[in-house]
């Protein structure tokens, strides 16, 4: 989109001596920018715009006659400048608007409307920006929603079918209609890092007005967020509003795809974290401004510098000299002596400057001419180091040169050497490490930082001397060149000031900036990698319908056993001693055989902790000898990270009060295979152990990200509200521990839920909470039908529960009364949101099916045939919705009852024998399962007791299937891969693998 015209922006020119990092923006410009981005729904200003790159006006839409077949007139916005020009905001534009005649306004309006009529049936394409530009028009979306009884925004599908949506719908336009909620036709502001919008349209969200966070700064929060995340400005604007209106990431990702240009949940979290950082910076800046104002230290230049800051490091750099108790900088002390005028005069009028007149024999610091020159030098150095243009120039020079990060082994004392011998060996790769800051890897940064914190490594940033030389020449000859002839002694002061500024102020600032940026990026990538691994682990395919024996291996204290039924009930627990060396092997084998035969259990899940290898060999040997005949027993290795922590937690004690904590871990291992999601949500995510350097990153950011991933997984899978546990329910989007507890209490008091609408009767579930959680809650229709049959025979009365008769304690009034009894709705078992039920019913009527056939092969064939015959775009127009919403409805109607999205993920790897490390040879091709993914490679379990490593250089895009080609080219835990052995180091138990393909 680099060729698109951009709006010119008036920038306030800061004086040379101001403390400023970045260019500022006036308050009037900021307000006008916010008005263009966020338009209130009812009170619309004449100067507001729905197109992101043009200042336009809107006239009232004229109603179209129903009987007339003539083309509908579209209300167009009057533009004060041609579309090819980029108008400036400000008084000049307003004066131009005021002086325009009515005839000129009509002429320009016609010039916009005319191409719209010609392009009426034109399909948009992302590769034709010219066509998008000429198709600027208003779409009466609000009138359509009213006509179908929907006041809220339409939902969007979780799947992108790549089908284009036409930008007009056949409906009448009422007179004096409020502004539309969506604006089509505006091109994206900048290229997105994921896939481009298939229609090239900009859909704007108008919720509440934009908050004050970031509005009073000298930068636009939307533009800065867009630059940092590499996502279009209009998407960032929508996301800011969506987050401000307390929408959750799962809800936005599934039901608001049109507003976010089909971004995934990871990208949404990245934007959310960036937004929180910018808001924290703005809050910190304003807090310090108020503090400095109370202390009487605030001046105009300091105030401007604080409002220019975009990071915490910049705020700290500006505020440090003014901290309470600070001695002040050398430049501050020189200014207190009255030498600032001399420093300014050296640049502005050096011919009139006489440094001898500043000498005062009774004042410390002004005793000699040398003291005067030193003070002037310090002030000039400070001015250069705080100058916006100077800092931008030195940063550009650094980008053009080879700036490196260098780490060496630190010089330690004798005591430190004795204690750090082990740590020194761990960091042998970084004892003499040098790499460009543009090519250093994230895991290398985290390792270097850890070595520096342990005082094993010394780290520095090296900037080439040519950068310093070029910067000094530029300062003396251009930016800080005296405006008049300067005597040699004054030029010497200027040269010294520039060198001192670079060495003492600018170079340390650059080092801090580089280290902070590298560390921040590395931490974020590490946390995102942890989140991706956790998602893959949570969404592992459940093993349903099997009785499973969980084994927690051990030596001295024995192996703990737990047999779990197919319905997750504990059938038996025991302890066997397989590795004590007292010849009890066969005796314990008979006990295990008796348990397996008694409970018809042929699946064993072994934890991967202590004694895992020996326990695996024990079971593999019995299976090869066919000891468990007639059962065909198989086993699998399960990650038991966090099981011991869970076994002694209050939640485990509440769930299994009569069971020994040592046996609870075996139960947890078995349940992890049976339903990984339901079991792993009981454990704090950081204890599951699928990341790296998790103790070195921000714990607050890590916890927030992992909790968000858990919420995303549970929500997308969905829960049956009538059988799910409170632990699982609290992770649904919009719910928390209190609301989940209230749902369980309502269920126990009033019986099972019949419809989603009954959720509104639960205490604490208001309209907003219902909107966020309703689409992720399922109600099993078979259960409801059985309940209906029982009640028809007089065995219950739950079906007579009315929605308005459940009052809330602590509330003055009960919820909205409804005398209609709760009736089962087959749509409640699907992923279709209640806000789209009317559209779904119209679609079923159009297809000729009913809700009784949801999930059957009959409705699948009927819908597929109808869509192929009519086309999804035409069908969407007939039911008055968008393609994305219609696709979500089709998915919900065609998916069979009890559909689980996890069935598309990799299954548990069951086996009957093992391979030893000594059996591996270079070139051997094996299959394995990904155990963990890091920033430097992927660990794969190939069944030899030691995971092999696929270095990142061997993970190429062409080796991944199209479904696996993610932004990170990463593989997650549980995925099946085919690998080739490149190297085997038996002494260090290291296996190097090469990825061949993903199975």
């Amino acid at each position: 989109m680099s060729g698109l015209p951009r709006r010119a922006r008036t920038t306030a020119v800061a004086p040379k001596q101001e403390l400023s990092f970045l260019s500022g923006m006036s308050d009037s410009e900021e307000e006008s920018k916010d008005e263009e981005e966020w338009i209130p729904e009812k009170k619309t200003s004449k100067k507001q715009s729905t197109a992101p790159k043009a200042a336009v006006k809107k006239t009232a839409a004229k109603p179209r006659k129903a009987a007339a077949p003539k083309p509908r007139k579209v209300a167009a916005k009057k533009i004060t400048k041609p579309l090819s020009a980029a108008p400036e905001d400000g008084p000049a534009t307003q004066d131009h608007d005021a002086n325009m005649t009515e005839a000129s306004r009509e002429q320009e309006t016609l010039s916009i409307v005319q191409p719209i009529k010609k392009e009426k049936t034109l399909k948009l394409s992302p590769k034709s920006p010219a066509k998008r530009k000429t198709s600027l028009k208003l779409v009466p979306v609000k009138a359509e929603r009213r006509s179908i009884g929907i006041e809220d925004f339409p939902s969007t599908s979780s799947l992108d079918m790549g089908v284009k949506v036409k930008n007009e719908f056949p409906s009448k336009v009422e007179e004096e209609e409020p502004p539309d909620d969506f604006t089509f036709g505006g091109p994206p502001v900048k290229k997105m890092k994921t896939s481009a919008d298939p229609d090239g349209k900009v859909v704007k969200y108008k919720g509440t007005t934009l908050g004050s966070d970031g509005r009073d700064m000298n930068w636009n929060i939307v533009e800065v967020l867009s630059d940092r995340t590499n996502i279009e400005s209009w998407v960032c604007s929508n996301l800011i509003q969506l987050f401000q209106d307390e929408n959750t990431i799962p809800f936005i990702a599934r039901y608001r795809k049109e507003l976010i240009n089909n971004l995934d949940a990871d990208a949404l979290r990245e934007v959310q974290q960036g937004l929180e950082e910018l808001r924290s910076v703005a809050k910190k800046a304003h807090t310090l401004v108020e503090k400095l104002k109370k202390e009487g230290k605030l001046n105009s230049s300091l105030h401007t510098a604080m409002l220019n800051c975009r990071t915490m490091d910049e705020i700290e750099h500006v505020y440090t000299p003014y901290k309470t108790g600070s001695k002040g900088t050398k430049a501050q002390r020189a200014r207190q002596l009255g030498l600032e005028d001399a420093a300014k005069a050296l640049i502005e009028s050096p011919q009139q400057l006489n440094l001898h007149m500043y000498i005062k024999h009774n004042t410390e610091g002004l005793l000699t001419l040398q003291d005067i020159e030193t003070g002037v030098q310090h002030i000039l150095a400070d001015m250069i180091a705080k100058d916006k243009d100077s800092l931008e120039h030195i940063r550009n020079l650094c980008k053009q040169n080879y700036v490196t990060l260098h780490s060496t082994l630190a010089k330690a004392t004798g005591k430190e050497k004795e204690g750090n011998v082990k740590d020194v060996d761990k960091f042998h790769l970084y004892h003499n490490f040098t790499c460009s800051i543009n090519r250093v890897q994230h895991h290398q940064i985290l390792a270097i930082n850890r070595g520096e914190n342990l005082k094993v490594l010394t780290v520095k940033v090296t900037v080439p001397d040519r950068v310093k030389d070029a910067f000094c020449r530029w300062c003396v000859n251009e930016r800080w060149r005296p405006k008049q002839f300067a005597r040699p002694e004054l030029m010497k002061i200027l040269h010294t000031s520039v060198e001192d500024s670079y060495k003492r102020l600018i170079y340390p600032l650059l080092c801090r900036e580089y280290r902070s940026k590298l560390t921040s990026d590395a931490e974020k990538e590490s946390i995102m990698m942890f989140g991706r691994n956790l998602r893959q682990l949570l969404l592992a395919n459940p093993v349903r319908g099997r009785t499973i024996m969980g084994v927690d291996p051990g030596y001295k204290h024995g192996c703990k056993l737990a047999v779990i039924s197919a319905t997750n009930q504990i059938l038996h627990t025991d302890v066997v001693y397989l590795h004590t060396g007292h010849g009890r092997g066969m005796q314990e084998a008979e006990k295990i055989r008796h348990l397996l035969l008694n409970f018809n259990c042929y699946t064993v899940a072994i934890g991967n902790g202590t004694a895992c290898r020996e326990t695996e060999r024990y079971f593999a040997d019995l299976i090869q000898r066919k000891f468990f005949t007639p059962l065909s027993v198989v086993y699998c290795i399960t990650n038991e990270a966090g099981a011991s922590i869970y076994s002694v937690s209050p939640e485990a004690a509440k769930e299994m009060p009569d069971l020994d904590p040592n046996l609870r871990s075996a139960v947890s291992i078995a349940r992890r295979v049976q339903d990984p999601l339901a079991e792993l949500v009981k454990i704090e995510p950081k204890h599951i152990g699928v990341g790296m350097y998790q103790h070195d990153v921000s714990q607050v950011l890590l916890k927030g990200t992992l909790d968000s991933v858990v919420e995303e997984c549970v929500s997308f899978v969905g829960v049956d509200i009538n059988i799910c546990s409170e632990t699982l329910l609290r992770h649904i989007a919009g719910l928390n521990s209190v609301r989940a507890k209230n749902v369980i209490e309502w269920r126990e008091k009033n019986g099972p839920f019949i419809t989603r609408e009954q959720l509104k009767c639960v205490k604490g579930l208001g309209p907003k909470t219902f909107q966020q959680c309703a689409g992720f809650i399922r109600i099993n229709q078979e259960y409801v039908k059985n309940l209906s049959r029982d009640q028809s025979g007089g065995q219950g009365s739950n079906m007579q529960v009315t929605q308005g008769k459940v009052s809330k304690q602590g509330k003055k009034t009960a919820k909205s009364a409804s005398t209609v009894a709760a009736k089962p709705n087959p749509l409640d078992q699907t992923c279709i949101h209640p806000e789209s039920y009317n559209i779904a019913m119209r679609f079923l009527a159009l297809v000729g099916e009913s809700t009784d056939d949801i999930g059957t092969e009959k409705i699948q064939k009927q819908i597929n045939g109808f869509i192929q015959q009519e086309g999804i775009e035409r069908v969407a127009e007939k039911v008055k919705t968008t393609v994305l919403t219609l696709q979500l409805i089709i998915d919900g109607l065609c998916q069979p009852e009890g559909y689980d999205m996890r069935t598309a993920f990799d299954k548990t790897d069951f086996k009957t024998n093992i391979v030893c490390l000594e059996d591996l040879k270079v070139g051997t091709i094996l299959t394995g399962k990904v155990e963990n993914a890091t920033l430097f490679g992927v660990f794969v379990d190939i069944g030899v007791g030691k995971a092999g490593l696929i270095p990142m250089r061997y993970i190429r895009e062409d080796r991944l299937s199209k479904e696996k080609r993610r932004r990170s080219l990463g593989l997650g835990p549980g995925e099946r891969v085919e690998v080739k052995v490149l190297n085997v180091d038996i002494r260090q138990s290291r296996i190097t693998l090469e990825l061949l393909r993903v199975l």
Side-chain angles (χ1 to χ4, degrees):
M1 300 297 176
S2 60
L4 295 175
R6 296 185 65 89
R7 176 176 50 204
R9 176 181 298 172
T10 57
T11 306
V13 180
K16 296 178 181 178
Q17 69 272 16
E18 283 189 354
L19 307 178
S20 60
F21 283 98
L22 305 167
S23 59
M25 179 184 290
S26 65
D27 294 338
S28 62
E29 291 170 351
E30 188 68 33
E31 292 174 2
S32 65
K33 181 70 176 178
D34 289 340
E35 288 179 358
E36 291 179 4
E37 293 294 342
W38 308 113
I39 305 176
E41 189 171 350
K42 295 183 179 180
K43 298 180 181 179
T44 307
S45 173
K46 294 181 179 181
K47 303 296 180 186
Q48 290 170 342
S49 169
T50 54
K53 287 299 174 183
V56 294
K57 289 186 176 181
K58 179 178 178 181
T59 59
K62 297 181 180 180
R64 184 182 60 175
K65 295 183 180 180
K70 297 179 180 180
R72 175 166 56 100
K73 291 185 178 181
V74 181
K77 299 186 178 182
K78 300 176 183 178
I79 303 180
T80 59
K81 292 186 179 183
L83 284 178
S84 59
E88 290 188 5
D89 296 337
T93 304
Q94 298 175 3
D95 294 342
H96 182 66
D97 275 342
N99 296 332
M100 287 187 64
T101 63
E102 192 65 22
S104 63
R105 294 179 186 271
E106 294 178 0
Q107 182 65 29
E108 290 187 3
T109 302
L110 292 175
S111 66
I112 301 301
V113 174
Q114 188 64 28
I116 296 177
K117 294 180 179 180
K118 295 180 180 180
E119 301 283 351
K120 183 174 181 180
T121 59
L122 180 65
K123 294 186 179 180
L124 299 180
S125 172
K127 298 183 179 179
S128 56
K131 295 182 180 180
R132 290 201 304 269
K133 187 182 297 183
T134 58
S135 61
L136 177 65
K137 57 182 179 177
L138 303 177
V139 184
V141 178
K142 182 173 284 296
E144 296 170 12
R145 292 203 314 274
R146 288 179 175 173
S147 66
I148 62 178
I150 298 179
E151 291 295 332
D152 205 351
F153 298 98
S155 62
T156 57
S157 173
S158 59
L159 298 177
D160 183 10
M161 299 301 294
V163 186
K164 302 174 183 177
V165 186
K166 292 185 179 179
N167 289 343
E168 62 178 276
F169 303 106
S171 64
K172 296 182 179 180
V173 184
E174 299 178 1
E175 191 172 358
E176 296 181 1
E177 184 181 343
D180 300 326
D181 290 336
F182 301 96
T183 301
F184 298 87
V189 179
K190 61 194 289 294
K191 185 176 180 180
M192 193 176 66
K193 64 182 177 184
T194 56
S195 60
D197 181 22
D199 291 328
K201 62 178 181 291
V202 175
V203 187
K204 294 184 65 177
Y205 171 74
K206 294 199 217 51
T208 59
T209 56
L210 186 63
S212 59
D213 294 336
R215 290 186 62 185
D216 299 330
M217 302 297 289
N218 288 345
W219 38 265
N220 186 290
I221 191 170
V222 175
E223 293 181 354
V224 175
L225 187 62
S226 176
D227 290 337
R228 291 189 177 182
T229 58
N230 198 25
I231 294 173
E232 289 94 333
S233 295
W234 66 271
V235 176
C236 291
S237 300
N238 291 342
L239 283 173
I240 290 175
Q241 281 297 332
L242 288 167
F243 288 136
Q244 186 171 317
D245 291 346
E246 299 179 353
N247 291 285
T248 60
I249 287 179
F251 177 79
I252 296 172
R254 174 168 286 184
Y255 299 111
R256 293 294 182 262
K257 274 189 172 292
E258 289 180 347
L259 297 175
I260 62 173
N261 204 8
N262 298 331
L263 291 181
D264 58 14
D266 285 338
L268 296 184
R269 269 188 289 275
E270 186 178 351
V271 174
Q272 188 180 44
Q273 292 169 4
L275 178 62
E276 292 300 323
E277 290 177 3
L278 291 175
R279 285 176 171 170
S280 300
V281 170
K283 182 178 180 181
K284 181 73 171 178
H286 287 295
T287 301
L288 293 180
V289 165
E290 291 297 323
K291 182 178 180 180
L292 292 171
K293 190 174 182 181
K294 291 180 181 179
E295 296 175 354
K297 301 177 181 178
L298 187 66
N299 53 50
S300 60
S301 60
L302 179 58
H303 187 234
T304 302
M306 291 297 295
L307 297 185
N308 283 338
C309 295
R310 302 189 185 190
T311 64
M312 289 296 185
D313 290 334
E314 292 180 357
I315 289 180
E316 189 68 18
H317 180 71
V318 173
Y319 177 66
T320 298
Y322 302 93
K323 286 183 178 179
T324 304
S326 174
K327 296 180 181 180
T329 62
K330 294 180 179 180
Q332 281 181 302
R333 294 195 291 270
R335 287 189 174 98
Q336 292 173 0
L337 295 174
L339 296 178
E340 186 169 12
D341 292 338
K344 292 180 180 179
L346 193 148
I347 303 297
E348 300 292 336
S349 55
Q351 290 184 349
Q352 289 78 32
L353 178 59
N354 184 7
L355 296 180
H356 291 276
M357 62 181 295
Y358 290 94
I359 297 177
K360 295 180 181 180
H361 297 289
N362 57 349
T363 303
E364 184 70 25
L366 301 177
L367 299 177
T368 63
L369 181 62
Q370 181 64 33
D371 294 337
I372 304 298
E373 292 177 349
T374 303
V376 170
Q377 170 192 322
H378 290 158
I379 295 175
L380 285 174
D382 183 73
M383 292 168 60
I384 295 170
K386 301 293 179 62
D387 178 63
K388 170 181 65 68
D389 295 334
S390 299
L391 290 176
E392 288 182 354
H393 185 75
I394 189 66
R395 288 175 180 136
N396 290 332
L397 288 175
C398 290
K399 289 179 182 179
Q400 299 168 9
N401 287 272
Y402 192 74
V403 180
T404 60
L405 183 73
H406 188 60
S407 67
T408 57
L409 185 63
K411 297 180 180 179
T413 61
K415 183 181 292 187
E416 291 176 343
K417 286 181 180 178
E418 293 177 1
N420 290 345
V421 171
K422 196 172 184 180
D423 292 332
V424 169
D425 294 336
K426 289 181 180 179
F427 298 97
H428 69 277
L429 294 176
Y430 305 102
H431 288 179
N432 189 16
F433 175 83
T434 302
C435 185
S436 169
I437 58 170
N438 296 323
R439 302 188 65 180
V440 63
Q441 301 298 313
H442 296 304
H443 68 275
Q444 294 172 334
I445 292 295
L446 296 175
I448 289 172
N449 289 347
R450 179 183 288 184
E452 186 180 33
N453 293 333
L454 294 174
K455 297 182 179 180
V456 176
L457 301 176
T458 300
V459 187
K460 69 175 182 177
V461 176
T462 304
V463 180
D465 291 338
R466 58 179 175 273
V467 173
K468 172 189 172 183
D469 297 339
F471 175 72
C472 292
R473 286 195 303 270
W474 178 81
C475 287
V476 173
N477 297 328
E478 296 184 32
R479 181 68 180 90
W480 298 96
R481 182 177 181 177
K483 296 183 178 180
Q484 300 175 359
F485 173 77
R487 298 185 300 275
E489 59 271 18
L490 297 182
M491 290 301 297
K492 182 180 179 181
I493 295 176
L494 180 59
H495 280 279
T496 306
S497 301
V498 172
E499 293 184 2
D500 178 59
S501 176
Y502 176 83
K503 181 179 179 180
R504 185 169 53 89
L505 301 174
I506 295 179
Y507 173 70
L509 174 63
L510 292 175
C511 292
R512 289 194 299 271
E513 286 182 350
Y514 281 128
R515 293 294 304 279
S516 177
K517 180 70 165 56
L518 291 173
T519 300
S520 176
D521 291 346
E523 288 187 355
K524 289 180 181 178
E525 184 59 32
S526 176
I527 292 173
M528 295 299 287
M529 176 69 75
F530 204 135
R532 289 191 291 268
N533 292 347
L534 177 63
R535 181 192 297 108
Q536 197 74 24
L537 198 61
L538 292 175
L539 295 180
N541 199 331
V543 180
R544 301 190 184 279
R546 289 195 190 189
T547 301
I548 299 177
M549 173 183 284
V551 181
D552 184 9
Y555 288 113
K556 182 178 179 181
H557 300 288
C559 298
K560 279 68 69 177
L561 306 179
V563 182
I564 305 300
S565 69
T567 57
N568 211 12
Q569 303 299 317
I570 303 175
L571 302 178
H572 183 79
T573 58
D574 206 339
V575 180
V576 292
Y577 298 89
L578 308 179
H579 316 300
T580 57
H582 298 298
R584 300 177 57 181
M586 291 307 299
Q587 181 180 353
E588 301 293 1
E590 287 291 341
K591 182 188 294 187
I592 295 173
R593 182 175 183 272
H594 175 73
L595 289 175
L596 294 177
L597 291 174
N598 187 35
F599 295 106
N600 192 27
C601 174
Y602 57 90
T603 305
V604 179
I606 304 173
N608 65 344
T610 305
C612 166
R613 184 64 174 169
E614 290 78 4
T615 305
E616 180 187 10
R617 184 179 291 110
Y618 181 86
F619 275 92
D621 181 61
L622 293 178
I623 292 172
Q624 291 301 310
R625 291 162 50 190
K626 298 183 180 181
F627 183 78
F628 301 116
T629 305
L631 293 177
S632 179
V633 177
V634 294
Y635 71 90
C636 66
I637 305 299
T638 304
N639 185 358
E640 67 174 33
S644 58
I645 296 177
Y646 164 73
S647 64
V648 295
S649 66
E651 189 169 351
K654 180 180 178 181
E655 185 180 2
M656 298 173 280
D658 301 328
L659 201 60
D660 184 86
N662 293 323
L663 296 173
R664 292 173 187 165
S665 60
V667 175
S668 178
I669 289 172
R671 286 177 173 174
R672 288 186 185 199
V673 176
Q674 199 169 65
D675 193 345
L677 182 62
E679 186 64 23
L680 291 175
V681 294
K682 303 174 184 177
I683 304 170
E684 193 172 353
K686 70 178 183 180
H687 295 312
I688 298 179
V690 288
M692 71 170 194
Y693 297 103
Q694 62 197 61
H695 302 293
D696 297 341
V697 301
S698 169
Q699 296 302 302
V700 175
L701 188 59
L702 176 64
K703 186 179 187 304
T705 301
L706 299 185
D707 290 344
S708 177
V709 170
V710 174
E711 181 185 68
E712 170 200 339
C713 294
V714 176
S715 299
F716 283 175
V717 170
V719 298
D720 188 339
I721 195 172
N722 289 322
I723 62 174
C724 69
S725 65
E726 180 183 333
T727 304
L728 196 62
L729 192 62
R730 74 175 61 143
H731 293 288
I732 287 289
L735 301 183
N736 53 29
S737 57
V738 175
R739 293 168 182 165
K741 184 178 180 181
N742 292 340
V743 169
I744 299 299
E745 290 178 354
W746 193 96
R747 189 176 71 187
E748 293 174 351
K749 180 179 179 181
N750 300 281
F753 287 86
I754 308 301
T755 68
R756 285 172 171 170
E757 289 294 324
Q758 286 182 309
L759 284 168
K760 297 179 179 179
C761 304
V762 178
K763 180 180 178 180
L765 266 71
K768 189 66 179 181
T769 303
F770 177 80
Q771 180 196 44
Q772 299 299 308
C773 71
F776 306 115
I777 284 176
R778 307 283 185 268
I779 296 179
N780 188 291
Q781 294 302 299
E782 285 297 326
Y783 182 84
V784 173
K785 290 177 183 178
N786 295 334
L787 183 64
S788 301
R789 287 194 294 267
D790 293 341
Q791 290 172 346
S792 63
Q795 299 181 14
S797 59
N798 287 333
M799 290 294 291
Q800 303 302 321
V801 175
T802 57
Q803 297 183 25
K805 295 188 177 181
V806 181
S807 60
K808 292 186 174 185
Q809 299 178 358
K811 298 276 185 178
K812 293 183 180 180
T813 58
K815 287 196 170 183
S816 58
S818 176
T819 58
V820 181
K823 297 181 180 179
N825 188 343
L827 293 176
D828 288 341
Q829 69 180 333
T830 69
C831 61
I832 304 173
H833 198 279
E835 67 186 8
S836 300
Y837 278 4
N838 290 337
I839 303 174
M841 296 304 296
R842 286 201 303 274
F843 175 71
L844 284 174
L846 189 65
V847 176
E849 295 290 340
S850 66
T851 55
D852 296 334
D853 297 325
I854 290 178
T856 62
E857 294 184 3
K858 175 186 175 183
I859 198 171
Q860 292 177 13
K861 294 179 180 179
Q862 185 71 13
I863 290 177
N864 291 336
F866 185 79
I867 293 298
Q868 290 179 1
Q869 180 180 357
E870 297 290 333
I872 193 168
E873 290 184 345
R874 291 185 58 188
V875 176
E877 290 181 2
K878 289 182 180 180
V879 298
K880 299 178 182 179
T881 187
T882 62
V883 172
L884 292 176
T885 304
L886 180 59
Q887 184 59 55
L888 177 63
I889 292 172
I890 293 174
D891 294 342
L893 296 176
C894 293
Q895 290 169 354
E897 186 174 356
Y899 169 79
D900 194 333
M901 63 175 287
R902 291 175 292 176
T903 56
F905 287 76
D906 298 287
K907 299 181 180 180
T908 303
D909 182 23
F910 293 105
K911 51 186 179 178
T912 59
N913 61 352
I914 60 175
V915 179
C916 297
L917 180 65
E918 292 76 10
D919 298 336
L920 292 179
K921 295 181 180 180
V922 175
T924 303
I925 297 178
L926 302 168
T927 59
K929 183 171 65 174
V930 176
E931 225 178 41
N932 191 14
T934 66
L935 297 177
F936 55 85
V938 173
F939 289 96
V940 179
D941 179 13
I942 55 177
V944 296
K946 183 69 177 179
L949 174 66
I950 306 177
M952 195 58 70
R953 63 181 178 274
Y954 294 124
I955 303 177
R956 300 192 297 271
E957 185 174 2
D958 58 339
R959 301 295 174 89
L960 304 177
S961 62
K962 293 183 179 179
E963 294 79 9
K964 304 291 184 182
R965 292 179 187 177
R966 309 183 187 91
R967 176 178 53 181
S968 62
L969 295 180
L971 297 170
E975 292 183 289
R976 304 263 313 153
V977 293
E978 185 177 73
V979 296
K980 182 172 72 173
V981 179
L982 296 181
N983 184 36
V984 180
D985 188 343
I986 298 178
R987 186 177 63 85
Q988 296 186 352
S989 297
R990 290 182 178 178
I991 308 169
T992 305
L993 305 172
E994 179 184 4
L995 176 66
L996 297 182
R997 62 189 178 98
V998 180
L999 301 177

